[in-house]
Amino acid sequence: MTEANWEQRSASVARTRAIGQRLGAAARPGDILLLIGELGAGKTALTQGLARGLDIGEVVNSPTFTLLKEHRSGRVPLYHFDLYRIERASELIDLGFGEYFGGDGVAVVEWADRVANEIFGSDWLQATITTPNNHGRIIHWRAQGQRAEEWLTATREPL
Amino acid sequence: MLILGIESSCDETGVALVRDGHEVISNALASQAEVHARFGGVVPEVAARQQLMAFIPVLEVALAQAGVDWNGIDAVAATYGPGLAGPLLVGLTAAKSIAFARGLTFLGVNHLEAHLYANWLHRQGEPHHAPHFPVLSLLVSGAHSELIVIREHGRYALLGQTRDDAAGEAFDKVARMLGLSYPGGPSIQRSAATWPIDQPLPVKVPRAWLRGTNDFSFSGVKTYIANLLRNPDHPPIAAIAAAFQEAIVDVLATKTVAAAKAIGAAEVVLAGGVAANVALRERLESDLRRLHISLRAPRIEWCTDNAAMIAGAAYYHLRRGESSDLSLDVLPSLALPLAQA
């Protein structure tokens, strides 16, 4: 099993969106992106950029209350999850959410650290967004599995 | 026409009976105490499987409350989107099965459109005053922040929506940051009220106006307050709560009033849980009064997800002779048509 780590800075919401857009442009059906970060870190902004990279035209807003929003207007369906309100992994399983992972669409999971990573299978990309000070963000990337590593590599800007 | 309505788009299972699109005969929700009692416990909040278990007891409560049997029902309607596929499937399949078994007309209802029709509802014995078109609806809850115009029955359009967080979600998340209880709307309102009215606020929360659009953005407010709290010498919690509430209300009211003016609204109606916010109601009432536009809000049990609004909305389609085929499937990403510029 392969695993890769990488770190990058984002100075603004616009920059976080642009990083997301590169991810979206390189995304394939079955890809899973796990997002971790406190309130206001930029998880939804990253997802909005990713949606743009998938050519999704409509507004992509927070699915906190609905737990999941599906977007099907792009080249690949986007399943946008938010586990903020989830207390236990069993709730996720009860909702039949397993069907959305590794299938015909790209799954993005905000607050993924509220459940154990095993639920997402063995191949996923994880972004942990931290706020070292009031301005700017650091995104810590962790690719678990071969496809996630390819996805991350395709996303990295040329040196 | 007596319509059986079913709502199961998220974590509420609701069944209601509504006559002619306005008179609520019964309105049962899985979270109601009598339903809990049938289970011998609390109905778990989030689960499609649980919704499956909740459906029959909720249906029985709705029929018993109404005191009608199947022969009195003319049509069955259920939400088919937007929402979560699993829970939607439970309600929609139940509705189709009932329609098929009883030989009743069946109709799939758009959940967002149904929220508008909560403003047509009234209790049995209370007078019925239908809103005057064109109606502008501000739908604000944990899941929604939308401005919708309804020009006549069946002709509605989305004018604007949140680009990130819903207003109710911002209340909940900021309440958590401030150490206030859930749900955030009432707790922030309570905390804000403790700030002395004659004392200026030591903090101003920035507004995202998104000028030239009817859209909202509440994510920046949340980030601003998170940053504010990182400073150990931050202003008192009550002051932050008051400044936050003021910012949200200011944006919601200003944009709603501007949209009402632009479309020539005869009436503005509220929907969603945030409609219960007193500061929002007072601000809108006073701003709209100057324009001679009236404001109304449904009873709180019809503001949040419920089945009465589904049965209500269905009536205006059915009376035009519309119905859905039994092959209708759930549409989790169902949207409202966008307003023509």
Side-chain angles (χ1 to χ4, degrees):
Chain A
M1 195 173 287
T2 54
E3 192 180 318
N5 290 281
W6 182 43
E7 221 175 77
Q8 77 185 126
R9 280 187 171 276
S10 169
S12 67
V13 176
R15 174 79 183 128
T16 301
R17 279 211 190 90
I19 292 166
Q21 192 168 351
R22 293 182 67 89
L23 266 176
R28 283 195 214 150
D31 282 347
I32 299 168
L33 174 66
L34 310 180
L35 296 176
I36 297 167
E38 59 192 281
L39 287 170
K43 299 180 294 298
T44 302
L46 193 75
T47 310
Q48 287 168 339
L50 187 142
R52 204 183 297 162
L54 289 172
D55 302 326
I56 288 167
E58 77 254 19
V59 169
V60 172
N61 52 29
S62 168
T64 295
F65 264 73
T66 51
L67 306 173
L68 163 66
K69 281 188 180 167
E70 302 187 23
H71 298 279
R72 295 180 176 275
S73 68
R75 62 182 172 82
V76 176
L78 169 64
Y79 302 123
H80 184 193
F81 293 88
D82 188 322
L83 308 190
Y84 184 75
R85 298 202 304 146
I86 290 279
E87 301 286 339
R88 291 176 306 276
S90 64
E91 291 177 297
L92 204 57
I93 295 161
D94 276 350
L95 278 162
F97 277 11
E99 295 158 34
Y100 292 94
F101 298 107
D104 63 339
V106 176
V108 175
V109 188
E110 298 195 33
W111 296 95
D113 49 338
R114 294 190 72 87
V115 298
N117 279 353
E118 286 71 51
I119 198 170
F120 304 113
S122 57
D123 204 314
W124 38 258
L125 182 60
Q126 177 181 284
T128 306
I129 310 175
T130 58
T131 52
N133 50 53
N134 284 3
H135 303 287
R137 305 283 187 264
I138 296 176
I139 306 173
H140 310 262
W141 295 100
R142 178 179 165 207
Q144 172 75 51
Q146 198 180 341
R147 169 54 203 155
E149 202 177 318
E150 277 171 25
W151 191 16
L152 182 60
T153 306
T155 301
R156 287 180 72 157
E157 285 168 24
L159 294 170
Chain B
M1 189 192 293
L2 187 63
I3 300 169
L4 179 81
I6 298 171
E7 155 65 23
S8 70
S9 65
C10 193
D11 50 13
E12 296 280 14
T13 309
V15 180
L17 281 155
V18 176
R19 197 180 301 282
D20 297 337
H22 59 88
E23 191 184 16
V24 181
I25 311 294
S26 68
N27 185 28
L29 266 192
S31 47
Q32 285 179 344
E34 43 195 316
V35 180
H36 289 320
R38 281 168 178 251
F39 273 96
V42 172
V43 181
E45 202 192 29
V46 189
R49 267 183 229 162
Q50 301 298 347
Q51 208 146 35
L52 196 55
M53 288 162 61
F55 180 75
I56 298 291
V58 176
L59 174 67
E60 285 172 351
V61 168
L63 290 172
Q65 273 179 1
V68 298
D69 67 8
W70 289 106
N71 294 320
I73 296 168
D74 299 299
V76 186
T79 310
Y80 74 108
L84 295 168
L88 280 170
L89 205 51
V90 174
L92 190 70
T93 306
K96 291 196 284 190
S97 310
I98 291 167
F100 181 72
R102 303 289 317 177
L104 296 172
T105 305
F106 159 72
L107 184 84
V109 174
N110 182 321
H111 179 86
L112 293 169
E113 183 195 357
H115 270 297
L116 305 174
Y117 278 99
N119 286 285
W120 269 257
L121 301 176
H122 64 90
R123 284 182 166 178
Q124 271 182 297
E126 287 176 359
H128 170 49
H129 300 294
H132 298 286
F133 297 126
V135 173
L136 177 69
S137 170
L138 174 66
L139 170 54
V140 271
S141 67
H144 300 283
S145 296
E146 273 131 19
L147 276 169
I148 302 164
V149 60
I150 173 161
R151 298 196 180 276
E152 57 186 83
H153 290 299
R155 202 153 80 85
Y156 48 83
L158 182 67
L159 289 181
Q161 63 186 319
T162 182
R163 294 199 185 163
D164 37 56
D165 295 356
E169 174 183 353
F171 270 101
D172 284 336
K173 288 184 171 171
V174 167
R176 178 180 276 212
M177 288 178 190
L178 297 177
L180 302 171
S181 61
Y182 177 91
S187 68
I188 283 183
Q189 184 167 290
R190 271 194 307 274
S191 175
T194 65
W195 184 257
I197 200 150
D198 53 354
Q199 209 172 318
L201 286 167
V203 55
K204 186 164 165 79
V205 173
R207 282 86 160 135
W209 290 112
L210 306 177
R211 286 185 205 283
T213 76
N214 292 303
D215 285 350
F216 302 105
S217 168
F218 297 117
S219 175
V221 175
K222 181 183 69 186
T223 309
Y224 180 83
I225 288 172
N227 286 339
L228 198 68
L229 292 169
R230 284 199 188 94
N231 183 344
D233 299 322
H234 64 71
I237 294 300
I240 300 175
F244 163 76
Q245 179 173 268
E246 188 185 83
I248 300 282
V249 166
D250 193 16
V251 171
L252 287 174
T254 304
K255 303 208 80 153
T256 302
V257 170
K261 232 194 267 185
I263 64 155
E267 238 174 291
V268 171
V269 301
L270 294 174
V274 182
N277 185 280
V278 177
L280 177 64
R281 284 191 189 213
E282 285 178 352
R283 168 74 188 272
L284 273 174
E285 240 160 37
S286 101
D287 286 6
L288 290 168
R289 197 179 300 125
R290 265 177 253 143
L291 300 171
H292 307 288
I293 300 172
S294 60
L295 175 75
R296 72 161 82 191
R299 306 180 67 89
I300 196 71
E301 70 262 32
W302 301 331
C303 273
T304 46
D305 288 355
N306 67 89
M309 66 183 195
I310 305 299
Y315 169 77
Y316 299 93
H317 288 277
L318 293 166
R319 74 169 184 185
R320 288 196 298 269
E322 295 171 26
S323 66
S324 303
D325 194 84
L326 289 180
S327 63
L328 181 74
D329 202 358
V330 300
L331 266 177
S333 50
L334 183 66
L336 283 176
L338 286 172
Q340 301 298 312

